[in-house]
């Protein structure tokens, strides 16, 4: 994570947020420089049960948003944020009831904290920001033919920010999907802000 220098402290950046338990927050400067990132804070609880008849043990991991930790992240960022660009989410047909409820809770809690910290909020649906981010980059449709939306976003972000390490930790092999999306959202918001559209 790059630290902001003293001369940059006056600049207020654009915070992109990919809501969800696997989401992230990324702060960009108005000039498009990466400032910092945070993976969505999560609490994991492990439940081990034993079947009476077989004695076989099963392990179940449950994850939930660490709301106090997310509140501290917003508290730390609030003086350095000009606008928050939050992905506007909706349930998907393949999602179960429990996962839809959990996803909705995380998105709602995130939005509530943005409002509680008196940050300017701009919500955008995935199809809008992903299409805008691809403009000017895609010169041949075959580059992205057959790719899932998440993979397209990874390619676009890697094109825009080739030197950034998008992994959650040094031990990870692949880019973190939440960091990728949050970075794209921040860049989308930065472009709109610079054009005076938000």
């Amino acid at each position: 994570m790059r630290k902001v220098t003293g001369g940059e402290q006056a600049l207020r950046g654009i915070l992109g947020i990919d809501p969800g338990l696997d989401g992230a927050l990324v702060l960009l400067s108005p000039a498009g420089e990466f400032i910092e990132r945070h993976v969505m804070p999560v609490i994991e609880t492990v439940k081990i049960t034993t079947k009476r008849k077989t004695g076989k043990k099963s392990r179940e991991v449950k994850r939930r948003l660490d709301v106090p930790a997310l509140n501290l992240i917003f508290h730390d960022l609030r003086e350095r944020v000009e606008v928050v660009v939050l992905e506007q989410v909706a349930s998907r047909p393949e999602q179960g009831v429990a996962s839809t409820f959990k996803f909705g809770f995380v998105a709602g809690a995130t939005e509530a904290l943005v409002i509680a910290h008196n940050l300017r909020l701009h919500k955008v649906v995935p199809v809008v920001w992903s299409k805008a981010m691809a403009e000017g980059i895609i010169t041949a449709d075959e580059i992205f033919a057959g790719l899932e939306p998440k993979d397209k976003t990874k390619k676009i972000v890697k094109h825009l920010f080739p030197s950034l390490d998008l992994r959650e930790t040094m031990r990870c092999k692949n880019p973190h999907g939440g960091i990728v999306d949050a970075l794209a959202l921040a860049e989308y918001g930065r472009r709109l802000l610079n054009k005076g559209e938000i």
Side-chain angles (χ1 to χ4, degrees):
M1 171 170 58
R2 187 177 72 79
K3 290 292 180 187
V4 181
T5 62
E8 293 176 297
Q9 290 291 349
L11 292 177
R12 289 161 64 91
I14 301 90
L15 183 66
I17 304 178
D18 177 30
L21 291 177
D22 295 312
L25 303 86
V26 173
L27 185 64
L28 286 182
S29 76
E33 296 172 322
F34 173 79
I35 298 173
E36 65 183 274
R37 69 184 186 190
H38 300 271
V39 172
M40 198 65 75
V42 171
I43 296 171
E44 290 188 351
T45 54
V46 179
K47 182 180 179 183
I48 298 174
T49 56
T50 307
K51 290 189 177 179
R52 288 183 182 177
K53 290 184 179 180
T54 62
K56 189 176 181 181
K57 292 187 177 185
S58 64
R59 183 176 184 267
E60 182 184 7
V61 178
K62 292 198 174 190
R63 303 168 71 222
R64 62 186 170 87
L65 179 66
D66 188 343
V67 178
L70 184 58
N71 184 49
L72 286 174
I73 291 170
F74 280 116
H75 180 78
D76 178 55
L77 290 172
R78 67 182 175 189
E79 297 301 322
R80 297 179 284 138
V81 174
E82 177 69 24
V83 65
V84 173
V85 181
L86 177 67
E87 184 175 72
Q88 186 173 328
V89 296
S91 62
R92 296 185 298 272
E94 69 274 8
Q95 276 185 310
V97 174
S99 61
T100 300
F101 181 83
K102 190 183 296 184
F103 186 51
F105 173 82
V106 175
T110 303
E111 184 174 344
L113 287 171
V114 170
I115 294 165
H117 285 277
N118 202 27
L119 297 170
R120 188 155 55 112
L121 176 64
H122 179 79
K123 291 170 69 174
V124 58
V125 293
V127 68
V128 171
W129 69 258
S130 59
K131 182 179 178 184
M133 292 307 300
E135 287 175 5
I137 294 174
I138 301 173
T139 54
D141 289 338
E142 59 268 15
I143 295 172
F144 296 99
L147 289 179
E148 293 292 321
K150 289 278 185 188
D151 293 326
K152 287 180 185 178
T153 304
K154 284 178 189 173
K155 279 190 174 285
I156 291 166
V157 167
K158 204 63 187 162
H159 175 81
L160 293 171
F161 301 93
S163 62
L164 278 185
D165 184 356
L166 301 171
R167 298 174 298 166
E168 181 178 358
T169 67
M170 297 295 285
R171 296 184 340 186
C172 296
K173 293 181 180 178
N174 299 315
H176 185 277
I179 293 171
V180 169
D181 283 0
L183 180 56
L185 283 156
E187 174 61 15
Y188 169 79
R190 185 188 76 82
R191 294 177 183 185
L192 290 186
L193 187 66
N194 288 344
K195 290 190 285 187
E197 294 180 8
I198 57 172

